[in-house]
Each structure stands twice: as C-alpha cells, then as structure tokens.
Amino acid sequence: MRAKLSYAVTAAVLVFYFVLAGSRGVLLIRHGTLLTVTFGVAVLILPVIGVWFLWQNTQFVRRANALAAELDAEGGLPVDELVRTPSGRIDRASADAVFTRRREETEDSPDDWRCWFRLAVAYQDARDTPRARKAMQRAIALHANKPVRA
C-alpha cells in the first residue's frame, strides 16, 4: 500500500510539473517572436515526453499487478524463502540460489508467463532491476499472447 501511495504522490507531482511547464511553453509561444516560439516549443517537448513516460510506467505497473493478482488467485506467487540479514536486507547468496532455480524453471518452460513473472521477482530480489523489468515485460507479453521481442 505504501508503494502505491508513493507512486500516486510522485505521479501527481509530475503532472503538476507538466502542467506548469506546459503553461510556460504556451506563454512563450503566445509572445510571438521567433526566439520565444522556439523556446516555447522546446519547453513543451519535455512535458510531452514526461507524460508519455509516466503513462508507459503506469500501464506497466497496472499490468504487472494484474499478473500478480492472477498468480495469487492460482496460488502460484513465489514464496519468500530468502535469508535476510539482521537489518532486513536480502542475503546475496540466498537471492542467487533462488534466482538459479527460477532461471532453470524459465528455461524449461520459456512460453509460460508464470515462470517469467517469478524470474522477474528473482531478478528484483537479486537487485538487477533492468533485467527484472525485461522479464516482467516478457511475462506481460506472453500473458497477452503478444509477440515477444527477443
């Protein structure tokens, strides 16, 4: 719940920034000189890119959460079997051991979105966020029966 609240607050702040920057871009364009119109268009590009990026990330999170809910309903969510340090951090060797099992599971069933979902969780536990994201994107694509990029 805390992550959802944090995401919502961050998204709201970004939307506020996009509106503020966009209004400044429009004011520059309305000024009407070549220089201000050029700057105004340049200022408007950043909010457009930001809105696109925020939308893509929001869709990714929604789809990943939907997969998690479906997997939970099936009783297939990965069990937290990781060893933790006294401070609560995940032990690296434990994360690597779980990751190895998840990778082998995924290699045995490369077209199963559930395996890719669990692999994404293992990547995240091993602190490899870029690969976790790619694995989750693959799980989402397999679940939706979309072509998977290699």
Side-chain angles (χ1 to χ4, degrees):
M1 185 62 168
R2 185 175 181 176
K4 287 182 182 181
L5 181 61
S6 174
Y7 189 82
V9 168
T10 303
V13 168
L14 284 172
V15 167
F16 175 74
Y17 166 75
F18 298 150
V19 169
L20 187 64
S23 68
R24 298 299 178 218
V26 169
L27 287 174
L28 285 168
I29 291 171
R30 281 189 184 162
H31 197 268
T33 67
L34 178 61
L35 185 63
T36 60
V37 169
T38 304
F39 279 140
V41 170
V43 167
L44 284 176
I45 289 172
L46 290 175
V48 169
I49 292 171
V51 166
W52 174 84
F53 184 75
L54 183 62
W55 176 255
Q56 292 297 317
N57 280 307
T58 302
Q59 292 305 313
F60 173 77
V61 169
R62 285 182 60 244
R63 290 178 185 128
N65 285 340
L67 292 187
E70 186 173 333
L71 205 54
D72 186 31
E74 295 174 357
L77 277 179
V79 178
D80 186 2
E81 54 192 315
L82 299 168
V83 177
R84 299 184 189 277
T85 64
S87 65
R89 293 185 62 116
I90 295 172
D91 178 61
R92 182 72 176 183
S94 174
D96 289 343
V98 171
F99 171 77
T100 302
R101 283 200 325 268
R102 298 295 182 215
R103 187 187 66 222
E104 290 169 356
E105 176 185 299
T106 305
E107 288 170 353
D108 292 341
S109 303
D111 294 330
D112 186 2
W113 68 266
R114 294 162 187 86
C115 293
W116 282 99
F117 183 95
R118 289 188 282 268
L119 180 64
V121 172
Y123 270 126
Q124 188 64 37
D125 290 340
R127 297 186 199 112
D128 191 348
T129 304
R131 287 189 178 138
R133 190 170 181 90
K134 287 202 179 291
M136 187 60 73
Q137 287 170 339
R138 188 171 189 117
I140 290 167
L142 287 170
H143 184 264
N145 293 321
K146 292 183 180 176
V148 178
R149 293 180 286 180

